[in-house]
């Protein structure tokens, strides 16, 4: 699923729709797993890294201001699975975010 997301472009409204889909997907999975270990979202994410990454991608995609990205990443320190390169790649999928500003924010040089 992550690979498919990398081939899309998102408007602000599209990113909200993507976030809603991921939340629905997580809820669907939690309903079908009958283990106390998976009854909490953090427990589920700890057990399923691809699902945790998708959730983090949706969080990144729904930011309204690029300045919030670093705050989100710092707040999730220790549980954040996306590298700066991954974060940059997903943020540049938003049609309203300029790649240059994303690079400056995450301090990544253009290649």
């Amino acid at each position: 699923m992550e690979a498919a997301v990398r081939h899309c472009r998102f408007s602000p409204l599209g990113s909200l729709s993507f976030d809603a889909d991921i939340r629905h997907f997580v809820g669907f999975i939690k309903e079908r797993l009958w283990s106390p270990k998976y009854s909490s979202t953090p427990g589920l994410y700890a057990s399923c890294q691809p699902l945790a990454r998708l959730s983090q991608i949706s969080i990144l995609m729904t930011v309204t201001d690029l300045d919030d990205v670093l705050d989100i990443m710092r707040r999730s320190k220790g549980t954040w699975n996306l590298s700066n390169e991954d974060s940059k790649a997903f943020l540049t999928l938003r049609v309203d975010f300029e790649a240059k500003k994303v690079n400056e924010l995450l301090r990544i040089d253009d290649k």
Side-chain angles (χ1 to χ4, degrees):
M1 217 165 137
E2 184 177 328
V5 171
R6 289 181 185 266
H7 296 287
C8 299
R9 298 281 293 168
F10 292 86
S11 67
L13 186 57
S15 64
L16 290 174
S17 177
F18 176 69
D19 183 59
D21 291 343
I22 295 300
R23 288 175 188 258
H24 181 75
F25 186 59
V26 169
F28 177 82
I29 291 171
K30 283 173 52 177
E31 287 175 4
R32 275 137 187 91
L33 295 175
W34 297 99
S35 170
K37 180 179 178 182
Y38 306 123
S39 64
S40 71
T41 303
L44 181 61
Y45 289 164
S47 300
C48 184
Q49 294 299 313
L51 191 57
R53 285 179 60 87
L54 280 174
S55 178
Q56 291 169 3
I57 292 165
S58 73
I59 290 169
L60 278 181
M61 299 296 280
T62 57
V63 297
T64 54
D65 186 1
L66 281 175
D67 294 331
D68 295 338
V69 171
L70 292 177
D71 191 36
I72 290 168
M73 292 171 75
R74 282 188 199 114
R75 205 176 39 203
S76 302
K77 189 176 181 180
T79 59
W80 193 258
N81 298 325
L82 299 176
S83 68
N84 278 0
E85 280 292 329
D86 288 336
S87 298
K88 174 195 169 279
F90 290 111
L91 285 169
T92 56
L93 295 177
R94 281 276 299 265
V95 296
D96 53 330
F97 293 158
E98 295 177 27
K100 182 178 178 181
K101 289 183 180 179
V102 172
N103 287 342
E104 288 172 2
L105 177 73
L106 297 175
R107 293 174 184 84
I108 300 170
D109 296 327
D110 287 329
K111 293 181 182 179

